[in-house]
Amino acid sequence: MKESARQFLDEAGQDRVVKSIQLAEQGCTAEIRVHLENECTSDALKRASEVFVRLGMHKTAARNGVLIYVAVKSHKMAVFADEGIHKIAGELFWQQEVDIMKRHFAKGDYAAGLSLAVEEAGKLLARQVS
C-alpha cells in the first residue's frame, strides 16, 4: 500500500472515487463516504464505527449510511453500515466489499478497489432503500 493517506490516491483516482460515490448516491437516499487515515491502532471495524459517528453519518433518516474505511499505513480496512442497511445486507456482503478492495489493493489499483466497493454498495442501496 502507499506510504500515507495523502498519497493513497492520485488526482485521477480521487476523481474516479468521487464520481463513483455521486453515481451510487443518485439511485437512493443513502450517504456513502470513503475515509482514509494513516494509522489504526484498534480493530478496523471498531475504528470505522467511531469515524461513522464522528462524521454524523448515523443521523440519516433511514439509518442507511455506509462508510468505507482504510487505514493506509496499518493496512487495515472495513466497511461500516448503519443499522437500516446492515440488517438488509448482512455481514457477508460487507466482507465481500472488503475482499474487493483487498484484491485491487494487492495490485496497487487503489482507485479501482474503492470505486468498485462504492459501486457495489450503491447497487445494494438502490435495490433496498429508496
Side-chain angles (χ1 to χ4, degrees), residues 27-99:
C28 62
T29 61
E31 178 179 5
I32 301 171
R33 290 192 189 186
V34 173
H35 181 83
L36 306 174
E37 61 186 15
N38 287 323
E39 303 284 342
C40 175
T41 57
S42 64
D43 175 73
L45 189 58
K46 180 178 188 261
R47 177 65 183 141
S49 71
E50 294 167 356
V51 172
F52 188 91
V53 171
R54 189 186 80 217
L55 294 173
M57 294 182 70
H58 62 294
K59 296 179 182 177
T60 59
R63 301 296 303 262
N64 60 354
V66 175
L67 177 72
I68 296 174
Y69 170 83
V70 179
V72 176
K73 289 183 178 182
S74 300
H75 300 266
K76 295 181 179 182
M77 62 192 82
V79 179
F80 185 85
D82 209 342
E83 64 187 33
I85 193 64
H86 179 73
K87 66 183 176 186
I88 293 168
E91 195 65 40
L92 180 60
F93 179 82
W94 305 116
Q95 184 56 52
Q96 290 170 342
E97 291 280 270
V98 170
D99 292 344

Side-chain angles (χ1 to χ4, degrees), residues 1-2 6 12 25 41 72 88 96 120 129:
M1 248 191 245
K2 295 273 188 171
R6 274 194 195 277
E25 289 181 341
T41 57
V72 176
I88 293 168
Q96 290 170 342
E120 290 302 312
V129 182

Side-chain angles (χ1 to χ4, degrees), residues 6-18:
R6 274 194 195 277
Q7 300 168 330
F8 194 68
L9 295 171
D10 60 17
E11 190 173 331
Q14 289 176 29
D15 289 345
R16 181 175 178 184
V17 172
V18 167

